[in-house]
Structures are given as C-alpha cells and as structure tokens.
Amino acid sequence: MQKVGFFRSIHVKFVLIYVMLILIAMQIIGLYFASELEETLKKNFTQSIDDRMNMMEFSVREEMNNGKFTDDPKALEESLKNVLNGFTSEDINETRVINSKYTVLATSVLENRSMIGQVSKDEIIRKSLTSESPADTIRLDNKGYRIWVRAMPITSGKEVIGTLYVESDIEKVFTQIDEVNEILAVGTAVSLTITVILGIFIAQTMTRPISDMRRHAQAMAKGNYSQKVHVYGNDEMGQLAIAFNHLTNQLQESQSTTESERRKLASVLENMTDGVIATDRKGRVSLINDSALSMLRMTRDIVLNRPISSILGVEQEYDFEDLIQINDSIALDFSTVERPYILRATFSVTQRETGFVNGLIVVLHDNTEQEKIDMERREFVSNVSHELRTPLTTMRSYLEALAEGAWKNEEIAPAFLHVTQTETERMIRLVNDLLKLSRMDSRDYDLNKEWVEFNHFFNSIIDRFDFSKSQDVRFQRLLPSTDLFVEIDTDKMTQVIDNIISNALKYSPNGGNVRFGITVSDQFINVMISDDGMGIPKENVKRIFDRFYRADRARSRAMGGTGLGLAIAREMVMAHGGDIWAESEEGRGTTIFFTLPFEQQEDGEWD
C-alpha cells in the first residue's frame, strides 16, 4: 500500500485544523477586543476633551460677554489667554477662540500669536459656525502625529458669538491601542505555540488508534490476520478498535473456511474423472480442471478467457444464451477416421437469488465406450436377428412346401428335409456359440487346466483336419523338436484351434497351403496358423475378432459360418492369459497368431 505523505497525514490535518480554529477564535476575540478598546479609549479621550471644552466655552462666553473688553481687544485677548491657559493639559496641544466673523481672538500657543486678528479659513470652524453645532475630525500635525480637532460653537442666548477650537493629542490613544495589539499578538503567538504542542499530543491520542488500524489493515490485505489492534480506551475510538478486532477474527475464520473449502473444491475438481468447466457471466472460461483439458486435448492457457461455445466446438449451433437455456445434455462428436471419440456435455446455470446469471457450469463425460456399447448392442441384435431370420425363412419355405404335398414326392422330399435339418443345425450352432460368449462375458465358466505337451497336442488336432479335409490343400508344419509343456484347458483350446483351422480351410483355394508354426519368446509360446486365401483389407484386419464380422459375408454364410468363431477364440485365449491377433494382405492370405503363457522347466522335472 502506498505510504501517506506528511502533509496528507490525518495527524497533521488534525493539528492544522485545531490550530486554525484556535487562531481564528483568537483573531475574532482580538479584533473584537481591539475594536472595543479603541472605541472606548477614543470615547473616553473625546469625552474628557469635550467636558473640558464645555467648561472652557462657559468661561470664554463670560469673558466675551463682559462689556469692559468691548473697546479693548488687547485686554480681551489677555483675558481669553488666561482662561485658555487655565485649561492647558498634556492632552490639549492648542486652544483658539474665534468670533462669529472667523477672526482669531486668542490662542494658547505663543508661537501662533501671529494668527490673532487674522481670519481663520479652517473648514471645521466654518462648519461649526454655519451649522451652529460642534464639529470634529482627526488630522496629522506637522510631525505626522494624529490630532483630534474639535470646534464647539459659543452661544449667548440664541446667538452664536464665536467658536472654541481645540487641537488635542489623540496619538497617545492610538499608541496605547498599538501597545495593546502588540500584547495581543505576543499572547496569540504564545497561545498558538502552546496550542500546537497540545494539539500534537491530543491528535496523537486520536490518530494513534487510527494508525494502528491502518497498519493492521495493510497486514490483513497481505493475509495476516493474527495481529490485534490495541484498545486505548472505552470511547468511540476504543469501541472502533474492539469492532476492528472482532472483524479481524471473523475474517480470519472466514478466510480459513474459504481456504479449506477452496482446497476441497480444488481436490474434488482435480480428482474427478468427469471434466468440469466454469464460465463468467459473459460465457468466457474462468475455470477448468485437468480432466476437461485432457478430454478436450487442450492446454489451460489456450482455454482460459475463451468463449465456451468455441471451446466445445458448437459455436455454429449455439451461442452462450442458447447454452443457458439448454435443459438436456448434448453430444460432442470429436471422432476421427481412426477412432471414435464422443463426449456428453451437461449444463448448469449459476445465478443469484435475484435471477441474475453469474455463469455456466459444464460437466463433460467421456461417452465413447457407452456409445460403442450401444452401437455394438444394436449391431449384435441386428446380426442375431438376421442370422436367425435367414434359416428360419428357409425352413418355413421348405416346410410350407412339404405341408402342401411335396412330402409325397420321393425325389424332392428328402432334399427339402435335408435342407431343413441343415438350417436347424446351423441355428443350434449359432445359439450354442452365443451361449458360450454369454458365459465368457459373465465369467460364468471354469477352466479345467492340465499340463500338456503342446507340440503333441497341436499335432493331434492338425492330423484330425488333415485326414478329414475335402479340398486339395497342403498342410505345412514348422514345429520345434523340443517339448513345450503348457497349462491349458484342452477342450477350450481345441475349440480355439478348430475355429482358426476351419476358417483357414474355408478361405484357402484348391492347391493352396495352410502353414502351422510354434516359436518361443520370453515367457510365451507363439502359435501361428496361416493360409493362402483371399486375405482381408488392411483397414478391416482388427475387426475379424468382432462378433458376427465376416470379410466376405455372402461366401461365409454360404459355408455355414456364424461369424462368432474368432470372437470365441479371442475370449478363450485371453482367458488363458494370452493374446491373439491377425496379419493379412488382401489377395495373398491371412495369418492368425496367438500366445500362451509358458514356463521353461528344468531338466528332469517331468521324468
């Protein structure tokens, strides 16, 4: 997680806010105090000057109304000067008396005596005389100091006889205000310093739990749920810390449960024989197990994030919306010319309680063997039906002919009966062969094994066929001179060899050869029976051991075969622990091989 900058820290923000609030409060209080103080000082100062001017106005009016100074301006000036000097103070810089004709009668400042007898052009004096009311203003003197100038009209009865002009030193008032402001500024600075220090400590008490929770939240984001936040008190922050620790415990338990369920799910998915594919809400593959990858013959990096319809190869028939609506499973045919390969896909929609579709779960099952079994079953039923229908149809035809009077004809009746008997024996052989295969399929049989010398056993069977064969076929024997003892069920192995030799004789032309051979390799003896018949196409060689398979159906059926001889031979050889296969070239004959377990015996063991 990114580190928080110093100036972005909540600790700094809290201190700054705290200091700013205190500063604003102090400024408001200071401004109010300074403003009120200034007004009070100014009011007190002006009130003091005004009170003294009232007394001076009374004295000046008396002197001006005194008749003895009417004809002697000098005496009036001296008298007024004495009055003005009597009210002289540090606050009053100068006092003047001006009559109603704007002529200066007296002044308290000796340096300004030249003004006496002169007409005053001061605007405030004119304003006072004109309005017959006091007028005041603040000015700067020659030295740049502020002075308060006030003109108060002198009235006698209802007549204004002059005005009293006073310049007072108000600069002292502003000096006092500045001193007070300086004291306030120093006090504010000291207060802010103390506030900052206190704010840091107070902020730490509030931000420390938050910092702890932030640090532990970062650890939780990395998967560490073992640490706990320290509870500093029982206030809101303490309650928040307790709730945070409780949340940590709940998350730890949930994480543990989720991880356990995830491992279980992963184990189930990986050990399922069926393939499982999960998609997101847009139909892209988000999860697939190894079984599905093996079934689809794809790699994980190719499959993930691809559309499910493309992965299943059904994009031409279905899109994702169609697959969501499918209730039944569908077959996916990946068969090739060499081998069949069919999968069956079942679909299940994952959705929320509101019905919003989160994705699709696809379960794949390899249905190749089942399809193969179903196909073999259908083919088996068809073949059995066909094999039984042919002789039954023939028998019915001949029996109907006999029933209609053919039995009276001594020339054709025996032939009809012979055909009926032949077809009956053919059906009996077919049923017997089917019963043998059925017992082998259900393993409902026992092998009565005994030790025999296989060369002698094999030769006796060959001799029997050699004596009874009807066509001109030569037998060639390539058998070893050493004794080969094997443990076999002689009846069943005789049937195996009989079926193979019978097929070789059926398909061998007149003048052809049937070859017999035995070789020993490792722990098996290899038995070979070969003919010079018409052979089998290469693509059908592996099928000759299938039930009811015939390389030439018309010729085999004409020769009375059931198509089950080699199938029975394969089951019996495999029951002995061996294997059987064929090699053939079309037009040049077929060779059947089978193996039997063989243990090399030491000399003298059979003596």
Side-chain angles (χ1 to χ4, degrees), residues 7 46 102 123 203 227 257 282 298 316 322 358 434 458 507 565 570:
F7 291 103
T46 57
Y102 303 101
E123 183 64 29
Q227 300 182 6
T257 304
K282 294 184 178 180
M298 295 181 179
Q316 300 297 330
D322 296 330
N358 284 332
L434 289 174
F458 195 22
Y507 297 104
R570 180 183 63 179

Side-chain angles (χ1 to χ4, degrees), residues 452-458 484 486 488 497 518 525 527 596:
V452 296
E453 200 286 307
F454 196 77
N455 279 326
H456 176 73
F457 173 74
F458 195 22
L484 302 174
V486 293
I488 59 174
I497 299 174
I518 298 176
I525 62 170
V527 182
L596 293 173

Side-chain angles (χ1 to χ4, degrees), residues 11-12 14-16 18-19 22 191-207:
H11 185 85
V12 175
F14 184 85
V15 173
L16 289 177
Y18 181 69
V19 171
I22 298 297
S191 299
L192 286 178
T193 302
I194 297 174
T195 300
V196 169
I197 296 173
L198 291 176
I200 292 173
F201 285 106
I202 295 173
Q204 284 181 347
T205 60
M206 299 187 66
T207 59

